[in-house]
Amino acid sequence: MMQQLQFESSWDKQIAPQDRDNIEKIFNETKHLNSSSVIFSPIREAINHKEALLVSVLVHNFTEHPLTFQNAPIQYSVNDNVIAEKEFTLPDLVIPSQVSMPWTFIFPKDSYRVQHSFKNGRLELK
């Protein structure tokens, strides 16, 4: 069974062509990771107008089971320092087995430590 790239429906409608190309490129570079777990490949980080930290990743579900997020503890670290941690419940996000799907995890203003850079960070399911 080959890993497949899918877009959640709201993403599919709104995504810019260059973002889609970038995500397909990341997928092609990371789809062969030898794993039987869940891996997040970074796409981008940003701070929005509400000062929330937005971490966009390609979520690879390499497992045999659909991946759901119900009080799922997720942390974001930069250079091995954990700067954000939050439990996510995402009823709309179900990632089938052997599917990779882009998603943005949003850490509200007071849930992360302010840094001069959020680049090269790592998102992990704890």
Side-chain angles (χ1 to χ4, degrees):
M1 171 79 176
M2 286 285 294
Q3 195 73 9
Q4 290 182 307
L5 177 62
Q6 287 181 15
F7 291 86
E8 190 270 336
S9 60
S10 62
W11 274 69
D12 215 20
K13 291 188 195 78
Q14 295 171 0
I15 192 165
Q18 76 235 38
D19 288 340
R20 187 183 292 267
D21 291 347
N22 183 41
I23 288 168
E24 286 172 358
K25 180 174 167 281
I26 293 168
F27 173 71
N28 287 323
E29 288 168 0
T30 53
K31 67 182 177 185
H32 298 299
L33 290 171
N34 189 5
S35 177
S36 56
S37 60
V38 174
I39 294 180
F40 297 99
S41 293
I43 299 170
R44 77 161 61 91
E45 307 78 27
I47 303 286
N48 73 4
H49 61 286
K50 294 181 180 163
E51 293 181 55
L53 170 62
L54 278 48
V55 180
S56 298
V57 291
L58 186 56
V59 183
H60 297 286
N61 180 7
F62 291 117
T63 74
E64 311 277 303
H65 310 285
L67 175 63
T68 57
F69 293 85
Q70 181 70 40
N71 300 327
I74 291 180
Q75 72 179 31
Y76 187 65
S77 46
V78 176
N79 300 329
D80 293 328
N81 296 320
V82 176
I83 57 167
E85 214 161 354
K86 183 176 183 301
E87 287 194 351
F88 286 87
T89 297
L90 304 166
D92 296 341
L93 184 61
V94 178
I95 302 179
S97 170
Q98 312 288 313
V99 164
S100 301
M101 194 179 282
W103 193 258
T104 298
F105 291 90
I106 300 172
F107 295 90
K109 183 180 177 183
D110 296 325
S111 70
Y112 67 90
R113 294 217 313 270
V114 178
Q115 303 271 107
H116 61 281
S117 171
F118 293 100
K119 292 272 170 267
N120 303 321
R122 217 172 63 211
L123 199 69
E124 290 177 286
L125 195 53
K126 279 303 178 198

